[in-house]
Amino acid sequence: VELAGLFTRAGEATSRDNRRLVRPPNARVVLVDAGMVANLGLDEQRNFVGFLAAVGEGDGRDAGRFVIQWSAAQTCVSAEAQAAFVEAMAAFFATDCRGYGTEVDLGHVLRGVLTIVRIHQVRVDVNYATLVMNALCLDGLANSILPEYNVLDAAKPLLRAYARWQKLAKGAGFKLFLPLARRVKERTDRRIYRQVWGVGEIVCV
């Protein structure tokens, strides 16, 4: 993903060749998201966020089981076909996705998952396809703007909270601990922004 320029507050702009950033004190970076939007039901939320949590843990088998749920009219239906898909996911994760803190390239992992989906003829409904494309765009954007920022590692507080608490009281546990998980993530993000850019926050609108 290439950006022609980033603009924060008045007086901040990039040069024409994007090599020099003029930034006032106490600046913040604002990203405008034109957005691809998918309205998700509860099952879709559980299946996609559960998949991301499995990616974070480096658990290819669990990730594969969630992907199989990405269609209400799944074409990969036999026990043998599903088992082969799950094992292919496990083998891929063993070499390319070992979880948090291992410099996982989320974009590479998602593209690898899509390749395995194609080989094993696993059907993916449109909402999930949109979510995968969103994640690919977000990861590419982060890599272009701030290579030091690992999207998956940054999401660890939220994904770990989801994995641990979403089953409690039909999701009420996750909702209870979500504000705390968000604060942990925001504090970590602000530290990275200050170290790399000297800004206190990045605001997406």
Side-chain angles (χ1 to χ4, degrees), residues 26-178:
N26 302 317
R28 63 178 181 172
V29 176
V30 180
L31 305 180
V32 180
D33 178 17
M36 291 183 288
V37 178
N39 294 316
L40 304 180
L42 292 177
D43 287 343
E44 291 171 318
Q45 293 178 33
R46 183 184 68 248
N47 292 334
F48 191 73
V49 179
F51 164 77
L52 292 178
V55 171
E57 300 297 340
D59 189 339
R61 288 185 176 83
D62 206 22
R65 295 184 190 102
F66 278 113
V67 172
I68 289 172
Q69 303 302 316
W70 284 6
S71 177
Q74 186 53 258
T75 53
C76 180
V77 292
S78 72
E80 294 81 3
Q82 291 188 359
F85 170 71
V86 169
E87 287 308 310
M89 289 282 287
F92 173 62
F93 273 51
T95 57
D96 294 73
C97 182
R98 297 180 181 178
Y100 301 119
T102 62
E103 299 183 358
V104 171
D105 183 337
L106 181 60
H108 169 73
V109 171
L110 292 176
R111 287 187 290 272
V113 169
L114 291 178
T115 298
I116 299 171
V117 162
R118 176 180 56 79
I119 291 171
H120 290 266
Q121 299 183 341
V122 176
R123 183 168 179 170
V124 174
D125 287 348
V126 63
N127 269 358
Y128 294 106
T130 300
L131 290 170
V132 171
M133 291 303 299
N134 284 346
L136 283 167
C137 289
L138 197 64
D139 184 66
L141 182 67
N143 287 334
S144 296
I145 298 175
L146 191 59
E148 298 86 351
Y149 187 86
N150 185 284
V151 171
L152 186 63
D153 288 346
K156 179 179 177 179
L158 297 176
L159 293 176
R160 277 272 173 91
Y162 176 85
R164 291 178 180 177
W165 301 106
Q166 64 90 18
K167 294 181 181 179
L168 180 62
K170 296 182 179 180
F174 174 62
K175 292 179 181 178
L176 178 65
F177 286 92
L178 180 58

